[in-house]
């Protein structure tokens, strides 16, 4: 296909219903990587298949196409994102960030993750990804916000909150973990996750 199709034909292939063909077209356009090929990137970022979006993110990062950085950032909030694509988007944004940072600066990717996590419009599914990626002790991740997420109706998000609490050491976090264990209105799986975070060396938690 690389030897027989023109760029115009590949761009047309990138819009066909068959996902495998769209992936193929994306890879070949990425290989050519000229201005005409890059013009299809906005459409690739809208593709329903995460493999296409993953490849588009790699393309932008490896070719340092900073003008497409906003499209990568939008992928973090894509309702159909996957963990693999989410992590690729974070890595790409960090690679595209040319702002000098000192050794004490927060890692670029963490900034995007915590901003996304705390944004009111962010879906529960994306918040799950964000909590998995974020340092549990991030200074912007306070217990009030974790409690808000714990009371969300999304069971997956609740589990990620408990797993985050298990990695925190401040007394208030331990108390919230204990309260979750004791709350018989909570799902058994959630309480079991909280139990797994208790310490046998702490008298109250051992009891």
């Amino acid at each position: 296909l690389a030897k027989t199709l023109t760029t115009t034909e590949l761009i047309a292939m990138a819009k066909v219903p068959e996902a495998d063909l769209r992936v193929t077209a994306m890879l070949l356009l990425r290989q050519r990587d000229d201005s005409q090929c890059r013009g299809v990137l906005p459409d690739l970022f809208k593709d329903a298949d995460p493999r296409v979006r993953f490849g588009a993110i790699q393309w932008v990062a490896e070719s340092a196409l900073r003008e497409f950085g906003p499209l990568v950032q939008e992928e973090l909030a894509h309702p159909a994102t996957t963990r693999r694509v989410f992590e690729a988007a974070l890595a790409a944004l960090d690679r595209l960030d040319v702002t000098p940072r000192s050794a004490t600066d927060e890692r670029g990717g963490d900034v995007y993750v915590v901003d996304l996590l705390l944004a009111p419009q962010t879906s529960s599914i994306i918040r799950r990804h964000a909590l998995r990626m974020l340092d549990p002790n991030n200074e912007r991740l306070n217990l009030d916000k974790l409690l808000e997420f714990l009371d969300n109706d999304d069971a997956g998000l609740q589990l990620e909150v408990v797993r985050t609490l298990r990695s925190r050491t401040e007394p208030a976090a331990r108390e919230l973990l204990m309260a979750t264990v004791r709350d018989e209105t909570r799902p058994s799986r959630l309480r079991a996750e909280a139990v797994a975070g208790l310490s046998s060396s702490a008298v109250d938690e051992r009891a």
Side-chain angles (χ1 to χ4, degrees):
L1 288 173
K3 295 178 180 179
T4 58
L5 294 185
T6 66
T7 296
T8 300
E9 289 170 327
L10 285 176
I11 290 173
M13 184 193 287
K15 300 176 183 178
V16 300
E18 296 85 353
D20 286 346
L21 289 179
R22 298 201 307 275
V23 172
T24 300
M26 175 273 297
L27 291 171
L28 294 176
L29 288 166
R30 174 174 145 190
Q31 187 178 42
R32 295 183 184 183
D33 195 26
D34 58 26
S35 59
Q36 185 182 4
C37 294
R38 293 174 182 180
V40 80
L41 274 165
D43 290 331
L44 296 180
F45 274 92
K46 297 175 185 176
D47 198 285
D49 193 304
R51 295 173 299 167
V52 175
R53 302 199 307 277
F54 180 85
I57 290 168
Q58 284 189 316
W59 182 356
V60 168
E62 292 172 2
S63 296
L65 306 177
R66 293 184 177 84
E67 65 271 29
F68 294 104
L71 293 178
V72 178
Q73 191 165 359
E74 288 175 11
E75 176 59 37
L76 293 175
H78 196 293
T81 197
T82 65
R83 182 169 183 174
R84 180 171 181 253
V85 176
F86 189 88
E87 292 176 351
L90 287 175
L93 288 170
D94 200 41
R95 186 167 180 172
L96 294 173
D97 186 2
V98 294
T99 304
R101 295 195 298 270
S102 70
T104 58
D105 282 344
E106 186 176 20
R107 185 172 61 86
D110 284 353
V111 174
Y112 295 108
V113 175
V114 75
D115 285 347
L116 186 65
L117 177 68
L118 301 179
Q121 70 273 18
T122 300
S123 70
S124 297
I125 294 175
I126 300 303
R127 284 196 169 117
R128 291 185 214 167
H129 290 301
L131 277 176
R132 290 190 199 112
M133 293 287 297
L134 197 62
D135 178 355
N137 295 297
N138 186 286
E139 61 183 16
R140 293 175 60 194
L141 187 59
N142 60 56
L143 289 180
D144 288 341
K145 185 58 67 174
L146 285 173
L147 180 58
E148 177 187 326
F149 295 156
L150 187 61
D151 289 335
N152 188 280
D153 293 334
D154 186 278
L157 179 58
Q158 292 174 355
L159 285 172
E160 293 304 329
V161 171
V162 167
R163 289 165 182 162
T164 298
L165 289 171
R166 291 189 330 206
S167 299
R168 295 176 68 122
T169 57
E170 73 266 44
R174 308 306 300 175
E175 291 171 8
L176 184 52
L177 201 62
M178 290 285 286
T180 303
V181 172
R182 294 191 178 106
D183 188 350
E184 296 184 1
T185 66
R186 298 281 190 186
S188 297
R189 183 184 177 191
L190 186 69
R191 296 173 67 201
E193 287 281 352
V195 168
L198 300 184
S199 170
S200 61
S201 62
V203 175
D204 56 340
E205 294 184 19
R206 184 169 66 247

